[in-house]
């Protein structure tokens, strides 16, 4: 499950809006949102990729790590289901 993300005009604003939306969520809500994306899978929709990019930013701020993967700073992926344990996320 991967998406080749090629930046386009207007992406920064969309990513920032999604970062703001995710920033008010609890750790459990973030984990649950990520796991829902794992269930759905990467479907090749640009909007989903923008939200996953923003989710990765918020995970880095909150957990100092992210389950969203990046290859060559362009290919977004998901690293598998996670759970919240002791205020940190761990892979299941």
């Amino acid at each position: 499950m991967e998406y080749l993300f090629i930046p386009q005009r207007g992406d920064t604003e969309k990513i920032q809006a999604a970062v703001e939306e995710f920033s008010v969520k609890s750790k459990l809500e973030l984990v649950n949102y990520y796991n829902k994306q794992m269930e759905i899978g990467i479907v090749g929709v640009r909007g989903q990729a923008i939200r996953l990019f923003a989710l990765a930013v918020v995970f880095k701020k909150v957990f100092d790590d992210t389950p969203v993967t990046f290859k060559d700073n362009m290919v977004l992926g998901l690293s598998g289901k996670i759970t919240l344990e002791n205020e940190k996320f761990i892979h299941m």
Side-chain angles (χ1 to χ4, degrees):
M1 288 190 275
E2 295 178 327
Y3 181 89
L4 176 60
F5 188 80
I6 300 172
Q8 295 180 359
R9 185 179 308 196
D11 284 349
T12 302
E13 294 81 9
K14 291 175 186 174
I15 291 168
Q16 184 57 41
V19 165
E20 290 172 11
E21 177 188 338
F22 289 131
S23 291
V24 299
K25 296 197 179 294
S26 70
K27 289 181 176 183
L28 182 58
E29 288 173 316
L30 292 171
V31 167
N32 288 341
Y33 183 86
Y34 171 82
N35 283 333
K36 184 67 175 173
Q37 296 307 299
M38 275 298 303
E39 289 174 19
I40 294 169
I42 294 179
V43 295
V45 175
R46 184 168 188 77
Q48 181 190 36
I50 286 171
R51 291 182 63 76
L52 287 174
F53 192 94
L55 187 65
V57 170
V58 174
F59 260 83
K60 285 292 265 186
K61 285 182 188 175
V62 171
F63 295 103
D64 200 34
D65 196 7
T66 179
V68 179
T69 62
F70 296 92
K71 291 182 189 168
D72 300 324
N73 292 322
M74 293 179 70
V75 180
L76 287 164
L78 304 173
S79 63
K81 283 221 171 195
I82 60 174
T83 190
L84 188 62
E85 188 174 294
N86 298 323
E87 297 299 308
K88 297 185 181 214
F89 79 85
I90 59 169
H91 287 88
M92 298 171 80

